[in-house]
Amino acid sequence: MGDWFTGRKRAALKRRMLAADAWIDDAVASLLPGATRKWDGVCGAFDRFRARGWRRWLAEGLGEAATLGVAASVVILALAQPAFRETTDDWLNRGDMSVTFLDRHGAEIGKRGVMQNDGIPLAEYPPHLVMAALATEDRRFYTHFGIDVMGTLRAVVQNARHQGVRQGGSSISQQLAKNIFLSNERTLERKINEAFLSLWLEHHLTKDEILKLYLDRAYMGGGAFGVDAAAQFYFGKSAREVTLAESAMLAGLFKAPTKYAPHINLAAARARASVVLDNLVDSGMMTEGQVQVARFSPATPKPVTQVTSPDYYLDWAFGEIRQMAKAGAFGGQRVLVVRTALDPAVQRHAEASVEQMLRQYGEQYDVDQAAAVIMEPGGAVRAMVGGRDYGVSQFNRAVDAYRQPGSSFKTYVYAAAFASGKYTPASVVTDAAVCIGNWCPRNYGRKYAGKVQLTNAYARSINTIPVRLALAVGQKPIIQLAHAMGIRSKLDVGRAFALGVEEISVMDHTAAYATIANGGRKSEPHAAVEVTDAKGDTLWRQDRDMKPAAQILGANVVSDMDKIMLAVTEAGTGGRARLDGWQVLGKTGTSQSYRDGWFVGFTSQLVGGIWFGNDDFTATNEMTGGSLPAMTWKEIMGFAHQGVTPRPLIGLPPPPSAAGTAQAQAEGDAGGARSRNLTEGAARILTDIVSDADAAAKPKRASLDAPGALAR
């Protein structure tokens, strides 16, 4: 009976499904002809608009252009969002901070920001000064909408014709947007942000306000920002009082402040001023008769003592102070005095060393740029070189440039391997061919060493070993450790990850190595040591207000890293970085196609990171990290360590000279210590003079203490 009822239910369900199917077929059959007729009617109507011949190609071209334009606009707006976020928080007053910077000894080294008053109103500038600036930098300033389209096209044509950068196409609004909101990083994203922010400035400020801000904030060489500061520095007078000839010389500084600075190259400055006078005539702002006097009587700057300003360091320190002010560290105070960790003697020597190395070896290695960071293990930055010439390029390669670290990145791989507990410096790993998919890394000498200890593998910078270690411990733990140690840039998992193909900055790389030098405690790079207000009241102090450093690496990992990093300079690729009497721990690095050369290392007292390369990412002439970077590191750090006593490092025996130095100091050996501001020869001469003076003084003391002593 049950089977009978089940069969009836199945038959009924089948009939209902057949009925539904028939209804759908009938509906479609009845609707389809009507829909077809309507669609044919629509197509017929649109056929009336069908273009043929050249009209069709024009319509299709415009359609494609509109589609691509909308897509490009969406991408550009997405790229511009980070820049627009910079305009949300009191953007104009933020730049009104007035900060005076002092070195670690309390001597003034420079200023950043602007004073709280309005300075010189635009109306009080001489008309010829304003016209000279406009004729040279942006002739259509008062007529364009923030972007000078015609000027940009002209610059593109001129640069293409000369196969290089001969003219700039940025308007004054764009240059001001860069100065206020952006860095000098040379990327497409920055140019897009610059264009959008120039439009934003045009919407929120008048033309006169934009021009006034530009004249007040442009870098004019000699550590001077703004035309009034430049007029005071070069001519000893206010910008209100400059002549036409002086105005032309000042306006010529906007393009290349160091190249055309009159106290450095007066002939070049006068030639550039003549070009500015030509611009005034060509633009119709003045006649040839009006500029004749300035041509025949060019400006002469006042004699100035050439003082180098650590501008890369100051720019970075000012950015740090602005971030701290934004976080409320100074209670709303905007006139500040900041004592920094900068050592002026080391800073000058670092700048001179970089320039000397580039002059001596730049052509040989086909390299024209470098960057350096010198800091204490705790993170206080003593010196910074952001490039070869701040006047030519304010782009800070020590902070804002991201380059491949090459083998110097292996430090994080080995640290993660030791932290995993699976390896020690004495562990033996086979150096043999290893492949990940179709990628097979090769060693520098294209040979394999077989079984090697990790200390030897690290010192010789063998490539296959870190690849094997990364496979064993995983790339994600390495990335997490590198970020914890101080690398802030994004690191992606990849086949060649362990060989340093991810880009990082010199500052981050040096700070991460400083974490090892600091006993495994996180080293936060910082410039400020103490901040006071205009009255001298302390607002912030590093030893009081900075958060305690987090422990990132255990003592055993630090000890293991110290051992293998010492082997790099004692018996490996970093031999040229050795310092007499000091244990130098570090790592060389050379990126793909020899584009970048690195040496990052430390002693018990200081940490230093050196990078050499080219801004356009072209390959050098087989420059390795063990050559020019290691040599420069030694030159800078050798000077910085004069008169400093070595300390033991975790896991290493004291250096041979440490005991001798301590004994000499205990015995009062006056000749054992010398100032790092003196060369070795000068220190010996000074010691001899002191010894002679002591010898000459002893008989006098004897004659006073014991009459007749000389006779006996």
Side-chain angles (χ1 to χ4, degrees), residues 145-190:
F145 54 89
I147 300 173
D148 185 3
V149 178
M150 295 299 296
T152 301
L153 292 176
R154 184 190 69 249
V156 169
V157 172
Q158 289 294 327
N159 294 338
R161 181 178 300 170
H162 292 90
Q163 297 181 347
V165 180
R166 299 294 296 270
Q167 280 191 14
S170 295
S171 66
I172 284 178
S173 301
Q174 288 174 277
Q175 294 179 54
L176 179 63
K178 182 191 71 173
N179 292 340
I180 293 179
F181 299 109
L182 306 172
S183 70
N184 290 288
E185 187 178 7
R186 298 177 179 179
T187 62
L188 177 61
E189 182 180 357
R190 197 218 79 189

mmCIF file of all heavy atoms in Angstrom, residues 145-190:
data_model
loop_
_atom_site.group_PDB
_atom_site.id
_atom_site.type_symbol
_atom_site.label_atom_id
_atom_site.label_comp_id
_atom_site.label_asym_id
_atom_site.label_seq_id
_atom_site.Cartn_x
_atom_site.Cartn_y
_atom_site.Cartn_z
ATOM 1 N N PHE A 145 45.445 78.394 -13.305
ATOM 2 C CA PHE A 145 44.608 77.891 -12.221
ATOM 3 C C PHE A 145 45.390 77.064 -11.201
ATOM 4 O O PHE A 145 44.798 76.366 -10.373
ATOM 5 C CB PHE A 145 43.474 77.028 -12.793
ATOM 6 C CG PHE A 145 43.957 75.913 -13.696
ATOM 7 C CD1 PHE A 145 44.288 74.676 -13.183
ATOM 8 C CD2 PHE A 145 44.094 76.133 -15.062
ATOM 9 C CE1 PHE A 145 44.743 73.659 -14.004
ATOM 10 C CE2 PHE A 145 44.545 75.113 -15.898
ATOM 11 C CZ PHE A 145 44.869 73.876 -15.372
ATOM 12 N N GLY A 146 46.695 77.154 -11.214
ATOM 13 C CA GLY A 146 47.529 76.385 -10.293
ATOM 14 C C GLY A 146 48.525 75.521 -11.023
ATOM 15 O O GLY A 146 49.584 75.183 -10.485
ATOM 16 N N ILE A 147 48.192 75.129 -12.256
ATOM 17 C CA ILE A 147 49.083 74.354 -13.104
ATOM 18 C C ILE A 147 49.252 75.119 -14.411
ATOM 19 O O ILE A 147 48.266 75.418 -15.091
ATOM 20 C CB ILE A 147 48.523 72.946 -13.381
ATOM 21 C CG1 ILE A 147 48.342 72.178 -12.066
ATOM 22 C CG2 ILE A 147 49.434 72.174 -14.324
ATOM 23 C CD1 ILE A 147 47.647 70.854 -12.231
ATOM 24 N N ASP A 148 50.472 75.445 -14.742
ATOM 25 C CA ASP A 148 50.757 76.173 -15.975
ATOM 26 C C ASP A 148 50.892 75.162 -17.110
ATOM 27 O O ASP A 148 51.971 74.592 -17.328
ATOM 28 C CB ASP A 148 52.040 76.991 -15.816
ATOM 29 C CG ASP A 148 52.327 77.872 -17.027
ATOM 30 O OD1 ASP A 148 51.485 77.877 -17.957
ATOM 31 O OD2 ASP A 148 53.382 78.529 -17.051
ATOM 32 N N VAL A 149 49.802 74.914 -17.806
ATOM 33 C CA VAL A 149 49.798 73.892 -18.851
ATOM 34 C C VAL A 149 50.791 74.239 -19.952
ATOM 35 O O VAL A 149 51.583 73.393 -20.397
ATOM 36 C CB VAL A 149 48.384 73.718 -19.432
ATOM 37 C CG1 VAL A 149 48.389 72.697 -20.565
ATOM 38 C CG2 VAL A 149 47.416 73.288 -18.343
ATOM 39 N N MET A 150 50.774 75.504 -20.397
ATOM 40 C CA MET A 150 51.681 75.915 -21.467
ATOM 41 C C MET A 150 53.143 75.801 -21.016
ATOM 42 O O MET A 150 54.008 75.341 -21.766
ATOM 43 C CB MET A 150 51.374 77.352 -21.896
ATOM 44 C CG MET A 150 49.998 77.518 -22.542
ATOM 45 S SD MET A 150 49.844 76.524 -24.049
ATOM 46 C CE MET A 150 51.093 77.293 -25.084
ATOM 47 N N GLY A 151 53.423 76.212 -19.782
ATOM 48 C CA GLY A 151 54.786 76.115 -19.280
ATOM 49 C C GLY A 151 55.248 74.675 -19.143
ATOM 50 O O GLY A 151 56.402 74.352 -19.409
ATOM 51 N N THR A 152 54.336 73.804 -18.734
ATOM 52 C CA THR A 152 54.678 72.385 -18.611
ATOM 53 C C THR A 152 54.997 71.782 -19.969
ATOM 54 O O THR A 152 55.976 71.044 -20.133
ATOM 55 C CB THR A 152 53.525 71.616 -17.950
ATOM 56 O OG1 THR A 152 53.267 72.177 -16.652
ATOM 57 C CG2 THR A 152 53.869 70.147 -17.801
ATOM 58 N N LEU A 153 54.161 72.094 -20.977
ATOM 59 C CA LEU A 153 54.409 71.576 -22.324
ATOM 60 C C LEU A 153 55.727 72.105 -22.881
ATOM 61 O O LEU A 153 56.484 71.374 -23.523
ATOM 62 C CB LEU A 153 53.244 71.954 -23.247
ATOM 63 C CG LEU A 153 51.904 71.275 -22.944
ATOM 64 C CD1 LEU A 153 50.821 71.819 -23.868
ATOM 65 C CD2 LEU A 153 52.017 69.760 -23.095
ATOM 66 N N ARG A 154 56.013 73.389 -22.632
ATOM 67 C CA ARG A 154 57.267 73.964 -23.105
ATOM 68 C C ARG A 154 58.458 73.262 -22.455
ATOM 69 O O ARG A 154 59.453 72.957 -23.121
ATOM 70 C CB ARG A 154 57.308 75.458 -22.767
ATOM 71 C CG ARG A 154 58.560 76.163 -23.311
ATOM 72 C CD ARG A 154 58.703 77.568 -22.776
ATOM 73 N NE ARG A 154 59.015 77.588 -21.366
ATOM 74 C CZ ARG A 154 58.190 78.006 -20.424
ATOM 75 N NH1 ARG A 154 56.980 78.443 -20.743
ATOM 76 N NH2 ARG A 154 58.547 77.987 -19.150
ATOM 77 N N ALA A 155 58.353 72.980 -21.158
ATOM 78 C CA ALA A 155 59.448 72.297 -20.462
ATOM 79 C C ALA A 155 59.652 70.889 -20.999
ATOM 80 O O ALA A 155 60.784 70.435 -21.167
ATOM 81 C CB ALA A 155 59.156 72.253 -18.956
ATOM 82 N N VAL A 156 58.547 70.194 -21.291
ATOM 83 C CA VAL A 156 58.652 68.837 -21.837
ATOM 84 C C VAL A 156 59.382 68.859 -23.174
ATOM 85 O O VAL A 156 60.266 68.035 -23.453
ATOM 86 C CB VAL A 156 57.252 68.200 -21.976
ATOM 87 C CG1 VAL A 156 57.329 66.908 -22.779
ATOM 88 C CG2 VAL A 156 56.654 67.936 -20.609
ATOM 89 N N VAL A 157 59.010 69.824 -24.033
ATOM 90 C CA VAL A 157 59.645 69.922 -25.353
ATOM 91 C C VAL A 157 61.128 70.242 -25.209
ATOM 92 O O VAL A 157 61.986 69.622 -25.860
ATOM 93 C CB VAL A 157 58.931 70.986 -26.204
ATOM 94 C CG1 VAL A 157 59.702 71.242 -27.495
ATOM 95 C CG2 VAL A 157 57.510 70.539 -26.521
ATOM 96 N N GLN A 158 61.465 71.204 -24.353
ATOM 97 C CA GLN A 158 62.862 71.603 -24.183
ATOM 98 C C GLN A 158 63.695 70.465 -23.601
ATOM 99 O O GLN A 158 64.823 70.216 -24.046
ATOM 100 C CB GLN A 158 62.951 72.830 -23.267
ATOM 101 C CG GLN A 158 62.439 74.112 -23.901
ATOM 102 C CD GLN A 158 63.315 74.565 -25.067
ATOM 103 O OE1 GLN A 158 64.524 74.362 -25.072
ATOM 104 N NE2 GLN A 158 62.693 75.154 -26.080
ATOM 105 N N ASN A 159 63.138 69.762 -22.616
ATOM 106 C CA ASN A 159 63.878 68.651 -22.006
ATOM 107 C C ASN A 159 64.071 67.504 -22.984
ATOM 108 O O ASN A 159 65.122 66.854 -23.009
ATOM 109 C CB ASN A 159 63.143 68.161 -20.755
ATOM 110 C CG ASN A 159 63.132 69.207 -19.658
ATOM 111 O OD1 ASN A 159 63.976 70.099 -19.637
ATOM 112 N ND2 ASN A 159 62.176 69.114 -18.754
ATOM 113 N N ALA A 160 63.046 67.241 -23.808
ATOM 114 C CA ALA A 160 63.172 66.186 -24.811
ATOM 115 C C ALA A 160 64.206 66.579 -25.867
ATOM 116 O O ALA A 160 64.990 65.745 -26.332
ATOM 117 C CB ALA A 160 61.818 65.908 -25.457
ATOM 118 N N ARG A 161 64.233 67.855 -26.242
ATOM 119 C CA ARG A 161 65.173 68.324 -27.249
ATOM 120 C C ARG A 161 66.615 68.196 -26.760
ATOM 121 O O ARG A 161 67.520 67.848 -27.524
ATOM 122 C CB ARG A 161 64.855 69.770 -27.606
ATOM 123 C CG ARG A 161 65.756 70.369 -28.678
ATOM 124 C CD ARG A 161 65.330 71.787 -28.983
ATOM 125 N NE ARG A 161 63.944 71.837 -29.476
ATOM 126 C CZ ARG A 161 63.256 72.968 -29.643
ATOM 127 N NH1 ARG A 161 63.822 74.121 -29.351
ATOM 128 N NH2 ARG A 161 62.013 72.938 -30.081
ATOM 129 N N HIS A 162 66.842 68.458 -25.474
ATOM 130 C CA HIS A 162 68.196 68.410 -24.937
ATOM 131 C C HIS A 162 68.504 67.078 -24.259
ATOM 132 O O HIS A 162 69.580 66.914 -23.689
ATOM 133 C CB HIS A 162 68.407 69.547 -23.923
ATOM 134 C CG HIS A 162 68.394 70.910 -24.539
ATOM 135 N ND1 HIS A 162 67.233 71.652 -24.676
ATOM 136 C CD2 HIS A 162 69.394 71.663 -25.086
ATOM 137 C CE1 HIS A 162 67.523 72.808 -25.248
ATOM 138 N NE2 HIS A 162 68.820 72.835 -25.510
ATOM 139 N N GLN A 163 67.543 66.149 -24.294
ATOM 140 C CA GLN A 163 67.716 64.821 -23.716
ATOM 141 C C GLN A 163 68.167 64.904 -22.261
ATOM 142 O O GLN A 163 69.093 64.217 -21.827
ATOM 143 C CB GLN A 163 68.707 63.996 -24.530
ATOM 144 C CG GLN A 163 68.249 63.736 -25.958
ATOM 145 C CD GLN A 163 69.250 62.890 -26.724
ATOM 146 O OE1 GLN A 163 70.373 62.689 -26.295
ATOM 147 N NE2 GLN A 163 68.815 62.375 -27.869
ATOM 148 N N GLY A 164 67.488 65.734 -21.512
ATOM 149 C CA GLY A 164 67.795 65.887 -20.094
ATOM 150 C C GLY A 164 66.916 66.966 -19.515
ATOM 151 O O GLY A 164 66.146 67.628 -20.227
ATOM 152 N N VAL A 165 67.031 67.180 -18.203
ATOM 153 C CA VAL A 165 66.218 68.184 -17.534
ATOM 154 C C VAL A 165 66.881 69.541 -17.687
ATOM 155 O O VAL A 165 67.891 69.825 -17.040
ATOM 156 C CB VAL A 165 66.029 67.834 -16.037
ATOM 157 C CG1 VAL A 165 65.183 68.896 -15.359
ATOM 158 C CG2 VAL A 165 65.395 66.466 -15.890
ATOM 159 N N ARG A 166 66.329 70.373 -18.542
ATOM 160 C CA ARG A 166 66.864 71.717 -18.767
ATOM 161 C C ARG A 166 65.913 72.790 -18.244
ATOM 162 O O ARG A 166 66.332 73.886 -17.913
ATOM 163 C CB ARG A 166 67.110 71.936 -20.270
ATOM 164 C CG ARG A 166 68.106 70.970 -20.870
ATOM 165 C CD ARG A 166 69.498 71.192 -20.289
ATOM 166 N NE ARG A 166 70.026 72.497 -20.629
ATOM 167 C CZ ARG A 166 70.743 72.748 -21.722
ATOM 168 N NH1 ARG A 166 71.025 71.778 -22.574
ATOM 169 N NH2 ARG A 166 71.210 73.953 -21.956
ATOM 170 N N GLN A 167 64.619 72.487 -18.209
ATOM 171 C CA GLN A 167 63.633 73.440 -17.712
ATOM 172 C C GLN A 167 62.685 72.732 -16.760
ATOM 173 O O GLN A 167 62.358 71.564 -16.954
ATOM 174 C CB GLN A 167 62.808 74.047 -18.863
ATOM 175 C CG GLN A 167 63.487 75.164 -19.602
ATOM 176 C CD GLN A 167 62.527 75.885 -20.518
ATOM 177 O OE1 GLN A 167 61.321 75.727 -20.416
ATOM 178 N NE2 GLN A 167 63.060 76.683 -21.420
ATOM 179 N N GLY A 168 62.263 73.458 -15.729
ATOM 180 C CA GLY A 168 61.251 72.925 -14.834
ATOM 181 C C GLY A 168 59.873 73.387 -15.271
ATOM 182 O O GLY A 168 59.699 74.506 -15.739
ATOM 183 N N GLY A 169 58.886 72.519 -15.125
ATOM 184 C CA GLY A 169 57.538 72.872 -15.548
ATOM 185 C C GLY A 169 56.593 73.152 -14.409
ATOM 186 O O GLY A 169 55.415 73.419 -14.632
ATOM 187 N N SER A 170 57.091 73.098 -13.164
ATOM 188 C CA SER A 170 56.219 73.295 -12.007
ATOM 189 C C SER A 170 55.923 74.771 -11.806
ATOM 190 O O SER A 170 56.820 75.620 -11.861
ATOM 191 C CB SER A 170 56.870 72.724 -10.747
ATOM 192 O OG SER A 170 57.017 71.324 -10.846
ATOM 193 N N SER A 171 54.664 75.078 -11.551
ATOM 194 C CA SER A 171 54.266 76.451 -11.245
ATOM 195 C C SER A 171 54.671 76.789 -9.814
ATOM 196 O O SER A 171 55.066 75.916 -9.034
ATOM 197 C CB SER A 171 52.757 76.610 -11.407
ATOM 198 O OG SER A 171 52.076 75.836 -10.431
ATOM 199 N N ILE A 172 54.540 78.067 -9.456
ATOM 200 C CA ILE A 172 54.826 78.479 -8.081
ATOM 201 C C ILE A 172 53.889 77.774 -7.115
ATOM 202 O O ILE A 172 54.291 77.369 -6.019
ATOM 203 C CB ILE A 172 54.719 80.010 -7.954
ATOM 204 C CG1 ILE A 172 55.967 80.664 -8.563
ATOM 205 C CG2 ILE A 172 54.536 80.448 -6.512
ATOM 206 C CD1 ILE A 172 55.964 82.177 -8.548
ATOM 207 N N SER A 173 52.636 77.585 -7.511
ATOM 208 C CA SER A 173 51.677 76.880 -6.650
ATOM 209 C C SER A 173 52.116 75.442 -6.413
ATOM 210 O O SER A 173 52.012 74.923 -5.294
ATOM 211 C CB SER A 173 50.282 76.905 -7.284
ATOM 212 O OG SER A 173 49.845 78.228 -7.491
ATOM 213 N N GLN A 174 52.607 74.778 -7.445
ATOM 214 C CA GLN A 174 53.075 73.403 -7.296
ATOM 215 C C GLN A 174 54.312 73.340 -6.413
ATOM 216 O O GLN A 174 54.442 72.439 -5.575
ATOM 217 C CB GLN A 174 53.383 72.805 -8.671
ATOM 218 C CG GLN A 174 52.150 72.500 -9.508
ATOM 219 C CD GLN A 174 52.510 72.045 -10.899
ATOM 220 O OE1 GLN A 174 52.756 72.846 -11.783
ATOM 221 N NE2 GLN A 174 52.560 70.739 -11.094
ATOM 222 N N GLN A 175 55.229 74.287 -6.587
ATOM 223 C CA GLN A 175 56.434 74.294 -5.759
ATOM 224 C C GLN A 175 56.086 74.541 -4.296
ATOM 225 O O GLN A 175 56.670 73.933 -3.391
ATOM 226 C CB GLN A 175 57.402 75.365 -6.263
ATOM 227 C CG GLN A 175 57.963 75.088 -7.652
ATOM 228 C CD GLN A 175 58.903 76.180 -8.110
ATOM 229 O OE1 GLN A 175 59.858 76.522 -7.425
ATOM 230 N NE2 GLN A 175 58.642 76.757 -9.279
ATOM 231 N N LEU A 176 55.122 75.418 -4.035
ATOM 232 C CA LEU A 176 54.703 75.678 -2.661
ATOM 233 C C LEU A 176 54.033 74.446 -2.063
ATOM 234 O O LEU A 176 54.250 74.119 -0.887
ATOM 235 C CB LEU A 176 53.755 76.877 -2.615
ATOM 236 C CG LEU A 176 53.229 77.245 -1.218
ATOM 237 C CD1 LEU A 176 54.372 77.653 -0.307
ATOM 238 C CD2 LEU A 176 52.192 78.366 -1.306
ATOM 239 N N ALA A 177 53.210 73.748 -2.860
ATOM 240 C CA ALA A 177 52.572 72.522 -2.381
ATOM 241 C C ALA A 177 53.616 71.508 -1.954
ATOM 242 O O ALA A 177 53.481 70.839 -0.920
ATOM 243 C CB ALA A 177 51.667 71.947 -3.470
ATOM 244 N N LYS A 178 54.688 71.386 -2.746
ATOM 245 C CA LYS A 178 55.766 70.458 -2.385
ATOM 246 C C LYS A 178 56.452 70.898 -1.100
ATOM 247 O O LYS A 178 56.717 70.080 -0.215
ATOM 248 C CB LYS A 178 56.772 70.376 -3.523
ATOM 249 C CG LYS A 178 57.909 69.400 -3.270
ATOM 250 C CD LYS A 178 59.018 69.554 -4.284
ATOM 251 C CE LYS A 178 59.790 70.840 -4.066
ATOM 252 N NZ LYS A 178 60.989 70.961 -4.916
ATOM 253 N N ASN A 179 56.715 72.195 -0.965
ATOM 254 C CA ASN A 179 57.427 72.695 0.204
ATOM 255 C C ASN A 179 56.630 72.514 1.488
ATOM 256 O O ASN A 179 57.189 72.242 2.548
ATOM 257 C CB ASN A 179 57.769 74.178 0.022
ATOM 258 C CG ASN A 179 58.796 74.410 -1.065
ATOM 259 O OD1 ASN A 179 59.525 73.498 -1.445
ATOM 260 N ND2 ASN A 179 58.849 75.622 -1.593
ATOM 261 N N ILE A 180 55.292 72.671 1.402
ATOM 262 C CA ILE A 180 54.464 72.610 2.605
ATOM 263 C C ILE A 180 54.090 71.178 2.967
ATOM 264 O O ILE A 180 54.178 70.769 4.128
ATOM 265 C CB ILE A 180 53.181 73.453 2.426
ATOM 266 C CG1 ILE A 180 53.533 74.943 2.326
ATOM 267 C CG2 ILE A 180 52.220 73.227 3.585
ATOM 268 C CD1 ILE A 180 52.333 75.837 2.123
ATOM 269 N N PHE A 181 53.658 70.400 1.975
ATOM 270 C CA PHE A 181 53.031 69.119 2.267
ATOM 271 C C PHE A 181 53.892 67.898 1.956
ATOM 272 O O PHE A 181 53.717 66.852 2.576
ATOM 273 C CB PHE A 181 51.730 68.977 1.465
ATOM 274 C CG PHE A 181 50.704 70.027 1.767
ATOM 275 C CD1 PHE A 181 50.399 71.016 0.843
ATOM 276 C CD2 PHE A 181 50.035 70.034 2.973
ATOM 277 C CE1 PHE A 181 49.451 71.984 1.103
ATOM 278 C CE2 PHE A 181 49.082 70.998 3.262
ATOM 279 C CZ PHE A 181 48.791 71.982 2.324
ATOM 280 N N LEU A 182 54.782 67.990 0.971
ATOM 281 C CA LEU A 182 55.404 66.787 0.423
ATOM 282 C C LEU A 182 56.908 66.783 0.651
ATOM 283 O O LEU A 182 57.495 67.784 1.049
ATOM 284 C CB LEU A 182 55.104 66.682 -1.085
ATOM 285 C CG LEU A 182 53.629 66.750 -1.473
ATOM 286 C CD1 LEU A 182 53.487 66.825 -2.982
ATOM 287 C CD2 LEU A 182 52.874 65.545 -0.928
ATOM 288 N N SER A 183 57.506 65.637 0.377
ATOM 289 C CA SER A 183 58.959 65.522 0.410
ATOM 290 C C SER A 183 59.502 65.774 -0.992
ATOM 291 O O SER A 183 58.747 66.032 -1.928
ATOM 292 C CB SER A 183 59.365 64.119 0.885
ATOM 293 O OG SER A 183 59.052 63.163 -0.110
ATOM 294 N N ASN A 184 60.816 65.669 -1.140
ATOM 295 C CA ASN A 184 61.447 65.852 -2.447
ATOM 296 C C ASN A 184 61.610 64.537 -3.202
ATOM 297 O O ASN A 184 62.387 64.454 -4.147
ATOM 298 C CB ASN A 184 62.819 66.515 -2.269
ATOM 299 C CG ASN A 184 62.701 67.953 -1.831
ATOM 300 O OD1 ASN A 184 62.304 68.822 -2.598
ATOM 301 N ND2 ASN A 184 63.017 68.216 -0.577
ATOM 302 N N GLU A 185 60.878 63.515 -2.780
ATOM 303 C CA GLU A 185 60.977 62.205 -3.425
ATOM 304 C C GLU A 185 60.598 62.308 -4.896
ATOM 305 O O GLU A 185 59.589 62.915 -5.251
ATOM 306 C CB GLU A 185 60.045 61.219 -2.710
ATOM 307 C CG GLU A 185 60.182 59.800 -3.172
ATOM 308 C CD GLU A 185 59.281 58.857 -2.396
ATOM 309 O OE1 GLU A 185 58.476 59.363 -1.598
ATOM 310 O OE2 GLU A 185 59.387 57.647 -2.592
ATOM 311 N N ARG A 186 61.399 61.696 -5.753
ATOM 312 C CA ARG A 186 61.182 61.782 -7.195
ATOM 313 C C ARG A 186 60.339 60.604 -7.668
ATOM 314 O O ARG A 186 60.844 59.602 -8.157
ATOM 315 C CB ARG A 186 62.530 61.794 -7.922
ATOM 316 C CG ARG A 186 63.388 62.994 -7.562
ATOM 317 C CD ARG A 186 64.739 62.914 -8.247
ATOM 318 N NE ARG A 186 65.551 64.073 -7.936
ATOM 319 C CZ ARG A 186 66.777 64.256 -8.391
ATOM 320 N NH1 ARG A 186 67.332 63.339 -9.172
ATOM 321 N NH2 ARG A 186 67.459 65.324 -8.062
ATOM 322 N N THR A 187 59.027 60.715 -7.490
ATOM 323 C CA THR A 187 58.133 59.648 -7.918
ATOM 324 C C THR A 187 56.940 60.249 -8.641
ATOM 325 O O THR A 187 56.599 61.429 -8.464
ATOM 326 C CB THR A 187 57.620 58.830 -6.724
ATOM 327 O OG1 THR A 187 56.853 59.691 -5.857
ATOM 328 C CG2 THR A 187 58.776 58.246 -5.921
ATOM 329 N N LEU A 188 56.283 59.421 -9.456
ATOM 330 C CA LEU A 188 55.079 59.852 -10.154
ATOM 331 C C LEU A 188 53.980 60.184 -9.156
ATOM 332 O O LEU A 188 53.222 61.149 -9.350
ATOM 333 C CB LEU A 188 54.617 58.747 -11.110
ATOM 334 C CG LEU A 188 53.312 59.014 -11.872
ATOM 335 C CD1 LEU A 188 53.439 60.244 -12.755
ATOM 336 C CD2 LEU A 188 52.927 57.789 -12.696
ATOM 337 N N GLU A 189 53.889 59.407 -8.093
ATOM 338 C CA GLU A 189 52.864 59.662 -7.078
ATOM 339 C C GLU A 189 53.018 61.049 -6.471
ATOM 340 O O GLU A 189 52.042 61.766 -6.266
ATOM 341 C CB GLU A 189 52.947 58.600 -5.987
ATOM 342 C CG GLU A 189 51.888 58.759 -4.897
ATOM 343 C CD GLU A 189 51.986 57.690 -3.827
ATOM 344 O OE1 GLU A 189 52.846 56.798 -3.971
ATOM 345 O OE2 GLU A 189 51.203 57.741 -2.871
ATOM 346 N N ARG A 190 54.278 61.454 -6.198
ATOM 347 C CA ARG A 190 54.492 62.785 -5.631
ATOM 348 C C ARG A 190 54.077 63.883 -6.599
ATOM 349 O O ARG A 190 53.483 64.890 -6.212
ATOM 350 C CB ARG A 190 55.962 62.951 -5.256
ATOM 351 C CG ARG A 190 56.204 64.128 -4.300
ATOM 352 C CD ARG A 190 57.473 64.845 -4.624
ATOM 353 N NE ARG A 190 57.302 65.739 -5.758
ATOM 354 C CZ ARG A 190 58.306 66.358 -6.368
ATOM 355 N NH1 ARG A 190 59.532 66.171 -5.975
ATOM 356 N NH2 ARG A 190 58.091 67.144 -7.394
#
